[in-house]
Amino acid sequence: MVRVTWSAPGKVIICGEHFVVYGGLAVAAAIDKRAYSTVSLRDDRIVRIGSKQIGTAEWLDGKLVKESSKGVGDRLEAYRKMVEALLEKYGRRKGVSVTVDSQIPRASGLGSSAAIAVATAGALLDALEADFTTEDVVNASLVAESELHYRPSGIDPTVSALGGVIRFRRGSKPQRIEPQKAFELLVIESGRPRRTGEMVRKVAQFRELHINLFDKLMEVSDMVAGEVELAIQNNRIERLGSLMTVSHNLLRAIGVSSRELDEIIDRALRAGAYGAKLTGGGGGGAVIAVASEEVTRQLISRHSDRYTFHRVVLPQEGARREKAEGKEGQPG
Ligand code: PMV
């Protein structure tokens, strides 16, 4: 039996989220938490998707026929659409089983849904022995992302598929930024779910109300992104931190921060971090900070009863095959 496992990383956006939806420049990076997806080809026509975190559902010819508890089918529907679109495109008339397991905290703006989509698309294309590129994996994942998010820019699946640190602008080829040296980001989960859809809509309203102002803020955000790129390339971590704080203030200006996020950022800055900002959709979710070793330790020891901390060394690898059984030339 053909059974293939892929993994794909979550991500953090270092600057430019929200503006990226309107063509602005963003910088994002893969993190060291990954989603795993195992795809097995079946002899019947059932599409079965199971997630350790959500539950299991089965569809026959696009119709939900089984779910482990009520609502699971709906929650997995975006992935079913992606899987069936790929089966259709590659002319497979039979079903598949997909088993997903993710280490990426959900609803934190750390790209868990995109990583699941990327790992699943990669594993399925691999199991089908399709001739495919990373771009095909990203495009397939966008089918799921468009179901899950309002107006996705495509930054999450792009970064998850490619890995590393990425300069991203909608409609342009993503570019890899090569840091001179590995560097560390501190990810701080606020414990409140982030609200991407709501925040993207809020930004759309802000933009309608203040179109010229929004364009100017986007120009500044693009400038910050250009400088972030240089700071990463040249290992100027203090400079990177201060640019991240500027990016946060731009996001605050367009209304996507929250009291909790501002409070975490304020605490990090008061403790002596070089800089901090919200990451991803906002309204909740996570903050990223850069700080010296001493300040990082201090923040963790003072606040770990309230927030969840992850120390992430960048860059990290993108999507990759973990295991393949039963394919030509493989055991199984
Ligand atoms: O997936 P999230 O919540 O990290 O948000 C993605 C970033 C946004 O710019 C807010 C939306 C997008 O699709 O680019």
Side-chain angles (χ1 to χ4, degrees):
M1 185 180 62
V2 175
R3 188 207 299 266
V4 180
T5 303
W6 273 50
S7 74
K11 65 89 192 53
V12 285
I13 299 181
I14 300 175
C15 66
E17 54 270 85
H18 286 289
F19 294 104
V20 74
V21 173
Y22 298 95
L25 187 61
V27 175
I31 60 172
D32 60 354
K33 304 232 169 299
R34 305 181 74 86
Y36 294 78
S37 183
T38 300
V39 168
S40 315
L41 301 184
R42 301 173 65 113
D43 290 327
D44 57 17
R45 296 205 318 277
I46 296 276
V47 169
R48 179 182 195 275
I49 303 180
S51 147
K52 281 207 173 147
Q53 289 74 26
I54 298 174
T56 301
E58 289 185 14
W59 294 264
L60 177 62
D61 302 329
K63 259 224 212 88
L64 183 68
V65 289
K66 216 188 222 180
E67 55 186 346
S68 57
S69 59
K70 202 162 164 40
V72 170
D74 281 348
R75 292 179 66 193
L76 295 172
E77 174 66 13
Y79 304 109
R80 178 198 69 85
K81 281 207 170 133
M82 179 188 80
V83 166
E84 295 211 348
L86 283 174
L87 292 176
E88 171 84 29
K89 185 166 174 192
Y90 290 90
R92 182 175 160 85
R93 305 265 164 259
K94 289 181 181 164
V96 290
S97 287
V98 179
T99 309
V100 172
D101 188 12
S102 173
Q103 313 169 326
I104 306 162
R106 292 181 43 227
S108 291
L110 299 177
S112 114
S113 63
I116 291 172
V118 167
T120 303
L124 180 54
L125 287 165
D126 193 355
L128 294 173
E129 318 232 349
D131 186 13
F132 67 99
T133 61
T134 308
E135 208 177 331
D136 296 321
V137 173
V138 173
N139 288 338
S141 307
L142 275 172
V143 172
E145 283 286 285
S146 310
E147 288 288 314
L148 293 163
H149 295 299
Y150 175 63
R151 300 170 89 156
S153 64
I155 189 168
D156 289 21
T158 301
V159 174
S160 180
L162 292 173
V165 184
I166 300 292
R167 168 194 223 272
F168 180 92
R169 196 193 289 278
R170 209 170 186 164
S172 306
K173 199 170 155 33
Q175 306 278 335
R176 205 175 275 284
I177 300 172
E178 302 290 352
Q180 215 177 65
K181 229 167 79 180
F183 65 103
E184 189 180 282
L185 283 183
L186 183 61
V187 178
I188 311 167
E189 283 181 70
S190 69
R192 297 265 178 149
R194 65 93 170 85
R195 311 193 307 261
T196 304
E198 197 184 323
M199 294 299 126
V200 172
R201 284 189 175 85
K202 198 168 168 191
V203 173
Q205 282 169 4
F206 178 94
R207 183 170 175 267
E208 234 170 72
L209 211 58
H210 307 289
I211 181 74
N212 294 331
L213 182 58
F214 185 87
D215 286 349
K216 281 282 171 232
L217 291 171
M218 186 148 107
E219 250 175 58
V220 178
S221 175
D222 274 20
M223 201 169 149
V224 172
E227 301 217 358
V228 160
E229 193 178 338
L230 289 175
I232 292 173
Q233 274 165 350
N234 300 325
N235 199 38
R236 304 275 307 271
I237 299 307
E238 283 183 41
R239 196 178 163 77
L240 170 64
S242 115
L243 289 162
M244 280 164 43
T245 309
V246 175
S247 162
H248 180 71
N249 286 315
L250 292 171
L251 292 165
R252 267 195 83 178
I254 59 170
V256 297
S257 191
S258 71
R259 207 157 46 82
E260 285 96 358
L261 296 175
D262 288 343
E263 194 178 305
I264 298 173
I265 288 156
D266 193 47
R267 288 196 164 143
L269 295 179
R270 271 192 285 129
Y274 302 133
K277 67 180 283 286
L278 72 83
T279 187
V287 161
I288 52 173
V290 278
S292 65
E293 178 63 27
E294 196 193 330
V295 170
T296 300
R297 280 175 198 256
Q298 219 182 74
L299 277 169
I300 297 174
S301 80
R302 266 198 220 152
H303 302 296
S304 52
D305 53 335
R306 234 174 122 183
Y307 310 121
T308 308
F309 290 84
H310 311 280
R311 299 181 68 158
V312 181
V313 176
L314 302 181
Q316 290 286 332
E317 212 184 320
R320 62 177 183 232
R321 179 203 267 180
E322 296 286 343
K323 212 166 148 189
E325 295 164 347
K327 297 203 351 153
E328 245 168 70
Q330 308 272 351

